[in-house]
Amino acid sequence: MDLRIQRSVVANLRNRPNPVETGPFVLGLDLSTDSPHINYATPVPGAEITATDVRDLVAAFDGRKPRLEYVISCAPTLEKLLLDAGFTVESRNEYLICTPDTLAVPSVPEGFEVFAPKSDEEFAGMIAAQNDAFGGGFRSTPADVERYRRNRSAGGVMIAARTADGEFAGGGTAVAPNEGLSEVAGIAVRERFRRQGLAGAITAAITAELFAGGAEVAWLEASGDDSWRVYERVGFRPSGQRLYISK
């Protein structure tokens, strides 16, 4: 599974609007945003990697923050090379997987609607709620909306949550499946709407839509005990580790 996940990450970054391939790395650039959580690199599994390759990768970021995300077992010697080049570990995250057999879809909490956004206004509301949940303030830009629409057109899944009176509470996304796998990401609920079961409902809705479209495995990362419990309740199970590291 580690190898399948890493291959899917490589494929996803190659589908970014402005991808760059340098040596054994794929750098998934999207020039519409400066976010290092969107513009990052990953190694091609099985490729030999040298210190020169790392220096060339840093140069390829062209002034942007050099950052990588990858499954640790697929490049076991890379972390030392990156640390020697001045990188710092951001986090080590467990990734979890879900299959149609393990998925458990909970009821949507009373007073909320979980749905697929269609209009620009709905996309903007969802993005603003996610940004607010992650500490970036309740905001979104036309470029953000366009990026979400582009991902949707490519086969990705977007699910938003809002209250009965129309206030956006959160949302989440998934990339288009590759070789039967899809990453679920950006699961976010604004602080005052948390601990009501909304994150689980969003995660399950995204995952169910992926499986309805033919995906075999959905995967995501748990960054803490709270998110771990949410994901386990809807059928995700631990499978491996990924590294976030930046310079």
Side-chain angles (χ1 to χ4, degrees):
M1 185 56 67
D2 278 2
L3 184 57
R4 291 185 69 186
I5 295 294
Q6 184 60 26
R7 284 175 174 167
S8 74
V9 174
V10 169
N12 292 337
L13 294 188
R14 282 175 171 155
N15 286 331
R16 291 283 167 81
N18 313 102
V20 175
E21 301 212 23
T22 172
F25 299 104
V26 177
L27 170 52
L29 290 180
D30 182 339
L31 300 182
S32 69
T33 176
D34 290 328
S35 172
H37 301 289
I38 294 176
N39 295 290
Y40 63 88
T42 203
V44 176
E48 183 178 349
I49 305 173
T50 67
T52 299
D53 293 325
V54 171
R55 287 195 295 272
D56 291 344
L57 174 64
V58 171
F61 273 89
D62 194 24
R64 295 172 180 267
K65 181 183 183 71
R67 185 172 182 277
L68 295 90
E69 297 182 9
Y70 66 94
V71 177
I72 295 172
S73 69
C74 291
T77 64
L78 176 56
E79 182 178 347
K80 184 179 186 305
L81 291 173
L82 294 171
L83 293 175
D84 289 346
F87 282 71
T88 301
V89 172
E90 294 180 354
S91 63
R92 303 178 195 275
N93 293 335
E94 193 88 17
Y95 76 79
L96 299 86
I97 65 171
C98 182
T99 67
D101 290 337
T102 64
L103 176 64
V105 180
S107 300
V108 175
E110 186 176 354
F112 293 95
E113 175 191 14
V114 171
F115 69 102
K118 296 180 180 178
S119 68
D120 285 356
E121 182 181 16
E122 290 173 339
F123 276 110
M126 169 184 165
I127 294 164
Q130 289 175 291
N131 286 338
D132 189 38
F134 287 127
F138 194 83
R139 59 179 179 79
S140 62
T141 69
D144 294 330
V145 172
E146 176 57 30
R147 184 167 57 256
Y148 271 50
R149 283 200 172 279
R150 185 171 61 246
N151 291 343
R152 181 77 161 272
S153 296
V157 174
M158 283 81 198
I159 294 292
R162 63 186 171 192
T163 64
D165 60 3
E167 184 177 5
F168 280 83
T173 68
V175 297
N178 180 270
E179 296 185 5
L181 280 74
S182 177
E183 179 185 6
V184 178
I187 304 297
V189 175
R190 298 171 70 190
E191 187 170 3
R192 68 178 178 277
F193 300 117
R194 293 173 186 169
R195 302 190 183 282
Q196 301 181 59
L198 198 53
I202 293 169
T203 304
I206 294 169
T207 307
E209 187 168 333
L210 288 171
F211 292 155
E216 301 169 4
V217 177
W219 68 277
L220 48 67
E221 291 178 343
S223 57
D225 290 343
D226 288 345
S227 61
W228 185 289
R229 286 191 289 269
V230 168
Y231 301 144
E232 281 199 316
R233 281 196 293 269
V234 299
F236 283 82
R237 302 292 181 262
S239 184
Q241 288 194 326
R242 296 221 309 154
L243 180 69
Y244 288 11
I245 188 167
S246 62
K247 184 176 173 65

